[in-house]
Amino acid sequence: MSKWSWSSSTSEDELRSIEAEMRSALDSMEYDSDEYSQLDSERIDVVNEIASRCAGKLPRREHGWYLPNDD
């Protein structure tokens, strides 16, 4: 388990704080290092978790053209 542990019980604000901390840590690392790649992968997981929680707050839209049922 990584030092950046989070779970479904972690609030969205806490996840955003964790992601910001990870981004800050990445800024001080060498881009080509294995450590950078691993931390960036974990950060992407956190971002995806945030996005999955926010998706329910977005308006639902139909894809394609609206066709009335007047046939």
Side-chain angles (χ1 to χ4, degrees), residues 1-3 9-10 23 28 33-35 60-61 65:
M1 173 137 281
S2 73
K3 83 176 202 178
S9 64
T10 306
R23 199 170 350 107
S28 65
S33 69
D34 290 336
E35 184 181 16
R60 302 277 183 219
R61 295 182 181 223
W65 293 93

Side-chain angles (χ1 to χ4, degrees), residues 24-35:
S24 177
L26 286 169
D27 289 342
S28 65
M29 291 181 187
E30 187 175 326
Y31 179 75
D32 292 334
S33 69
D34 290 336
E35 184 181 16

Side-chain angles (χ1 to χ4, degrees), residues 28-45:
S28 65
M29 291 181 187
E30 187 175 326
Y31 179 75
D32 292 334
S33 69
D34 290 336
E35 184 181 16
Y36 183 98
S37 296
Q38 181 180 359
L39 182 58
D40 193 42
S41 177
E42 291 177 22
R43 188 188 67 81
I44 290 169
D45 290 342

